[in-house]
Amino acid sequence: MTLDPGSLVADLDLLEEIEKATLRLVVQAMLEFRGHAALIFANDPDEPQDIGEDITREAMDRLGTSAIDVRLFGKVDYKRARFVFQPEYSLRQALFVDSKAEAIAGAATATIQMAQTSMRVRMQRAGTDMDEPGGLPTIVPAEAGTMLTTTVFVKFSYRETPSPTGPIRELVKITIAVLPNGLLQDRYNPSAAESFWLAGRNAYNNGETFRVRISFNRLKALARWRVQEIRFDAEPAFAWDDDPPDSN
């Protein structure tokens, strides 16, 4: 049967399983493409952000996924209306995958726009509790059937070394993180005091567009599996990081 995404309100554990499976899809796409990604970063003269966007789209397109004939809108690099298939059910999903690229010093966070999350952003900023709504719906309406919103971020962290002919760029790691759907708000960000968000690089008090950063360490502390890393300077390059088995 095709699962109604609205029914996941009563089964948040299943919602988390769907997000975990989706993260595995994106991680696999990046793993399959990692060799090309390193070469592209080393040789492409474009801006790192533009390179990251191209890599994400090409990696996802190469791996492929089921498709639903629905056009998605949003400020992300890769958008796909697709089916999720599991042994007991299928589900319509609005998959959004966005790219970030930054020097290795900024590898611990990813700056996002409010249009890229279905969660409310509850956080403390300059001593003030903030509660900003995300710009994506938790469930996307469509004629083909409602779709569960799932948002994944791919962060490319690189190192630059000066040279007479220009900086030499080396890809150090790729961090892939799945952001909780807004239906999981109370599990991951119930209040400003319980938050994985950090202040974004914007002068909010001066009227600039509100941005926030995902703290990968804070999100990982809530659920280890939500943040995965592919390394280019260590062996093995990748091992799935998961929460320890429940000792109870």
Side-chain angles (χ1 to χ4, degrees), residues 105-166:
T109 66
T111 300
I112 73 165
Q113 303 176 46
M114 293 304 295
Q116 296 175 331
T117 176
S118 63
M119 295 189 77
R120 302 188 70 87
V121 172
R122 294 171 178 162
M123 63 178 292
Q124 295 176 338
R125 184 165 182 172
T128 301
D129 286 358
M130 307 196 72
D131 188 343
E132 296 283 334
L136 289 175
T138 56
I139 296 171
V140 177
E143 289 186 8
T146 55
M147 298 177 288
L148 177 71
T149 296
T150 306
T151 309
V152 181
F153 292 94
V154 180
K155 175 71 177 282
F156 298 91
S157 300
Y158 60 89
R159 181 184 296 114
E160 283 189 340
T161 305
S163 80
T165 58

Side-chain angles (χ1 to χ4, degrees), residues 144-229:
T146 55
M147 298 177 288
L148 177 71
T149 296
T150 306
T151 309
V152 181
F153 292 94
V154 180
K155 175 71 177 282
F156 298 91
S157 300
Y158 60 89
R159 181 184 296 114
E160 283 189 340
T161 305
S163 80
T165 58
I168 299 171
R169 190 182 295 138
E170 176 189 10
L171 190 55
V172 179
K173 69 175 179 176
I174 304 174
T175 304
I176 307 104
V178 59
L179 200 61
N181 181 282
L183 297 176
L184 294 164
Q185 186 79 45
D186 289 342
R187 285 193 176 187
Y188 287 90
N189 184 208
S191 69
E194 300 174 85
S195 179
F196 59 84
W197 303 107
L198 296 172
R201 297 182 179 96
N202 66 290
Y204 184 58
N205 292 335
N206 292 336
E208 293 184 12
T209 302
F210 183 73
R211 291 173 181 252
V212 292
R213 286 179 293 155
I214 303 168
S215 168
F216 292 135
N217 288 337
R218 290 186 182 184
L219 182 56
K220 200 173 185 70
L222 296 170
R224 293 191 65 84
W225 62 264
R226 283 191 174 272
V227 181
Q228 304 292 329
E229 286 188 354

